[in-house]
Amino acid sequence: QVQVVESGGGLVQPGGSLRLSCAASGFTLVNYAIGWFRQAPGKGREGVSCITSKNTYYADSVKGRFTISRDNAKNTVYLQMSSLKPEDTAVYYCAAQSYSGSLCPSRYDYWGQGTQVTVSS
C-alpha cells in the first residue's frame, strides 16, 4: 500500500527554521516525484516545492528560503524551511506520484494527512 506520512511541523518564531519529513512506504522513492503543498486557513492549496529524479522546483514565495531534498536510503523527502514568516503558517502536505519526467507532475495520486506549521511570536 502506497503511503506518505508527514512529520516535523510545530510552532516557530518568525525567522526560525523547521525541517519537515515525508516518509514513504509501499513504494521506492527513486521512481516517484514528491511534492510539498500547503493550505492556510481560508485559502486554497498552494504548491510549495517538488523534487523529481532530475530536478527540484520552488514556488516564488519560498525560493531561497526552503530546500527540498531526498534520502533514497531512508525513503524520505525533506523540506528544510528557514527564515520563516507568519505567512508561511499553514498545514503542509506531501504527495507522491509515479513519475519519470523532469518537471513537476500535474497530478499526485497519494497524499499524506498533513502537518501543521505555525509561525508566530
Side-chain angles (χ1 to χ4, degrees):
Q1 181 181 1
V2 174
Q3 190 175 11
V4 290
V5 178
E6 307 92 339
S7 62
L11 173 64
V12 63
Q13 293 186 341
S17 298
L18 278 177
R19 188 179 77 162
L20 304 183
S21 299
C22 175
S25 61
F27 66 98
T28 302
L29 195 61
V30 69
N31 298 321
Y32 279 67
I34 299 294
W36 281 100
F37 298 80
R38 66 186 181 186
Q39 188 163 18
K43 295 188 177 181
R45 189 172 62 198
E46 175 191 16
V48 174
S49 179
C50 89
I51 185 166
T52 69
S53 61
K54 300 176 178 66
N55 288 304
T56 60
Y57 294 92
Y58 300 93
D60 288 343
S61 58
V62 306
K63 202 170 292 182
R65 300 188 297 122
F66 290 11
T67 302
I68 192 170
S69 62
R70 66 199 303 160
D71 185 333
N72 289 334
K74 295 184 177 180
N75 229 30
T76 299
V77 169
Y78 302 100
L79 186 69
Q80 178 68 47
M81 306 186 297
S82 303
S83 302
L84 283 162
K85 305 174 182 180
E87 51 263 44
D88 294 318
T89 295
V91 178
Y92 283 72
Y93 301 89
C94 71
Q97 178 65 27
S98 178
Y99 188 72
S100 59
S102 58
L103 301 178
C104 296
S106 58
R107 54 169 279 184
Y108 292 83
D109 288 336
Y110 307 101
W111 291 80
Q113 293 301 306
T115 184
Q116 176 71 47
V117 171
T118 302
V119 184
S120 175
S121 55

